[in-house]
Amino acid sequence: MPLGSAETLALAGMMGSGKSTVAEHLGRLLGRRVVHLDDAIVRAAGRPIADIFAEDGEPRFRALEREAVAALPAGVVADLGGGAFCDAASAARLLAVGRVVFLDVSAAEAARRLGACGGDAARPLAARWPELLARRLPLYRRAHLTIAVDGLSPEAVARRILESL
């Protein structure tokens, strides 16, 4: 079934899976606005994510993330943070208002990508990647669609998503 104009298209997955870049390609291909959830959180909090984690802790960040998911406008392409779809309330909302695509990346590919973009200074949870994947994978599997991204360009991932919808 084709994606409706009011349906949100949300990209979920681990850091390094390409959510942000693929979202930009999908936004262009679909003629839709792209919302980067982490950017929305930074704007709302008035400070970087690393500072939120350091000063207020992960629970506060997750609360801000839930608020950002709840505020997503209809019909956007949403680049979710790695943990956003793992929150029960956020996942339920996202599954109800559109389509969720899990970008499945291997640990080796994610490490290569994260290293290529300057390390993990802005990613407070990067050091816990394998542990996070083990905990999050069953939650990511609830997505409407899974796309394996290893070896694919962001453009190819975007095309696969559109072909699968």
Side-chain angles (χ1 to χ4, degrees):
M1 175 189 311
L3 185 69
S5 62
E7 286 185 286
T8 297
L9 179 57
L11 302 181
M14 292 294 291
M15 62 194 90
S17 63
K19 298 180 300 292
S20 298
T21 308
V22 172
E24 290 295 331
H25 288 287
L26 286 168
R28 278 193 296 280
L29 291 168
L30 293 167
R32 292 184 180 206
R33 180 173 154 220
V34 176
V35 175
H36 298 285
L37 204 66
D38 284 350
D39 292 347
I41 294 166
V42 167
R43 277 192 306 280
R47 55 199 167 129
I49 290 171
D51 290 355
I52 298 167
F53 268 81
E55 296 166 16
D56 301 330
E58 187 174 355
R60 175 64 184 141
F61 172 77
R62 296 298 172 202
L64 291 168
E65 190 173 59
R66 265 189 304 284
E67 292 169 14
V69 167
L72 282 171
V76 299
V77 174
D79 155 30
L80 304 176
F85 190 60
C86 298
D87 175 78
S90 294
R93 180 178 193 286
L94 290 162
L95 289 166
V97 300
R99 310 280 181 87
V100 179
V101 179
F102 166 43
L103 301 184
D104 192 4
V105 66
S106 70
E109 179 70 8
R112 185 188 67 74
R113 291 176 179 192
L114 292 171
C117 68
D120 61 12
R123 292 178 163 92
L125 300 178
R128 295 176 31 211
W129 200 98
E131 167 199 337
L132 288 171
L133 177 63
R135 193 171 72 232
R136 291 176 176 177
L137 191 56
L139 303 171
Y140 289 148
R141 296 275 184 228
R142 300 175 296 178
H144 296 103
L145 176 65
T146 296
I147 301 289
V149 301
D150 285 18
L152 296 177
S153 69
E155 298 88 353
V157 173
R159 282 193 305 274
R160 282 210 181 156
I161 291 169
L162 293 179
E163 289 165 4
S164 298
L165 295 176

